[in-house]
Amino acid sequence: MPDPRHEKFAQVVVRYSLAVKPGDKVIIQASELAAPVIRELYREILRAGGHPATRISIDGLGQIFYSEANDDQLTFVSELDKLEIEHFDALVGIQASYNTKSLSHVDPQKLAKSQAAHAVISKRFMERSAEKTLRWCATLFPTNALAQDAGMSLHEYEDFVFGTMLLDSDDPVAEWRKVQAEQQHIVDYLNQHDEIHIVAPGTDVTYRVGGRTWINAAGDYNMPDGEVFTGPIEDSVNGTVHFSYPAVYHANEVEDVTLTFEHGRVVDATARRGLEFLISMLDSDAGARSLGEVAFGLNYGVKNFSKNALFDEKIGGTMHMALGESYPETGGVNESGLHWDIVCDLREGQVFADGTLCYEAGKFII
């Protein structure tokens, strides 16, 4: 029996997140495991007057690529990728993993080399997003592999995923509009301040955001969503951050990460496990040791760490910082092939905006 939440999923993404209009060219990127929602998205895009296209992956290609590719192949950027990033008006990327650990034993130097070569694609993606000529939504379809990472059965994980997307409500679009209105109050407050000082167990860090723009992420960038973010002034980050949750990137887990910043650059990094991978990513290009994003997670329906940044960075009562590429619409200018979100629990922390306490025990108190 079809899951009625699949149809609601497509309606929210097409009508709300991407706001597809007649004539829009829309691409769906996913693995074949997401077929149930790919079909509904395709149908909904047509109903909205758009022109849907698909780019469907199959299991194992990434593993084959990194085991076989030489340096020339690792740094090759496909003309199709370049055309795709210029051609479409909207993009929906769906995580639907067969095996989340398939790249966990890839040589990190190979990952870094390929990532640096493709920085031109990520930069153009960010530029078009900031120009509002490319609308995008990153989302997820539940699979057994993702459920296992989260420590749940597939049925439990489906309920978790679709619950965080508010698909159990009669009108999910209306619910996301409520979230947008609630978060706007926080954005308006933060946009009036410059220095942010965060104190939590193992963490004491400051950064400046004066002149930058805080963004209200309420379902138009990710589904699910629930965060506010900006790009810090690049050389303003100073202090130490202990990331209480594992840092996960390309299926590699780095545990017990502590980063020390001086004038915006990571000058010291420690980890209990995965330090070699962490250092490889930090050294992948000139911008990887600087922050491209700072953010606060505000989705209190996401309660548990699931080893997936789409959910973990939204956990109510947390902040996250992204090493590498900035989102230009925030005013950030850091450039990198890396954008790695790492999450820090603030439920025992405090945040000060220009010296005034504005957040404690996991919530804004403004």
Side-chain angles (χ1 to χ4, degrees), residues 28-278:
I28 304 166
Q29 298 175 344
S31 83
E32 59 183 322
L33 291 181
V37 294
I38 294 171
R39 294 188 187 99
E40 295 304 326
L41 285 164
Y42 197 92
R43 190 191 322 276
E44 196 65 29
I45 293 165
L46 288 169
R47 288 175 174 173
H51 304 294
T54 59
R55 191 171 187 182
I56 310 301
S57 61
I58 62 173
D59 188 28
L61 296 186
Q63 188 176 12
I64 293 170
F65 176 77
Y66 284 109
S67 64
E68 299 289 341
N70 58 35
D71 282 354
D72 180 62
Q73 292 165 325
L74 286 169
T75 57
F76 175 76
V77 180
S78 165
E79 292 301 317
L80 181 61
D81 290 342
K82 295 176 184 177
L83 176 64
E84 189 175 277
I85 209 65
E86 297 291 349
H87 176 74
F88 289 96
D89 304 298
L91 178 155
V92 53
I94 308 171
Q95 294 183 46
S97 303
Y98 294 88
N99 178 0
T100 61
K101 303 295 190 293
S102 63
L103 300 183
S104 59
H105 294 296
V106 169
D107 180 351
Q109 298 299 327
K110 285 191 169 185
L111 281 173
K113 189 169 291 187
S114 179
Q115 178 178 276
H118 284 81
V120 62
I121 300 295
S122 61
K123 179 182 179 183
R124 186 59 185 139
F125 176 90
M126 297 291 195
E127 288 173 347
R128 290 201 62 209
S129 175
E131 296 162 356
K132 306 299 182 185
T133 59
L134 175 65
R135 306 184 304 282
W136 58 276
C137 180
T139 186
L140 178 145
F141 181 75
T143 66
N144 274 306
L146 293 164
Q148 286 172 333
D149 277 357
M152 302 180 195
S153 70
L154 180 58
H155 177 72
E156 290 170 335
Y157 191 63
E158 288 171 337
D159 287 346
F160 163 74
V161 169
F162 295 139
T164 63
M165 294 179 182
L166 307 181
L167 301 185
D168 295 324
S169 64
D170 292 335
D171 188 347
V173 170
E175 294 302 313
W176 280 109
R177 288 190 174 128
K178 288 180 186 177
V179 172
Q180 198 279 339
E182 292 167 358
Q183 292 183 176
Q184 190 60 40
H185 173 64
I186 296 169
V187 164
D188 291 342
Y189 176 85
L190 292 172
N191 275 329
Q192 297 173 21
H193 292 83
D194 181 18
E195 185 183 78
I196 304 298
H197 181 197
I198 300 169
V199 181
T203 294
D204 190 339
V205 66
T206 61
Y207 55 80
R208 293 180 52 229
V209 291
R212 298 295 167 89
T213 301
W214 285 88
I215 304 293
N216 183 350
D220 39 2
Y221 289 96
N222 292 168
M223 182 55 60
D225 219 330
E227 65 171 283
V228 296
F229 68 91
T230 192
I233 295 172
E234 282 70 24
D235 63 358
S236 73
V237 187
N238 287 285
T240 298
V241 184
H242 175 69
F243 294 95
S244 35
Y245 295 108
V248 183
Y249 191 73
H250 284 311
N252 291 271
E253 294 183 31
V254 186
E255 294 182 358
D256 203 22
V257 174
T258 298
L259 300 179
T260 299
F261 295 86
E262 289 183 6
H263 306 297
R265 302 278 294 171
V266 175
V267 295
D268 187 54
T270 64
R272 180 165 52 85
R273 182 170 74 89
L275 181 60
E276 181 182 358
F277 179 80
L278 174 62

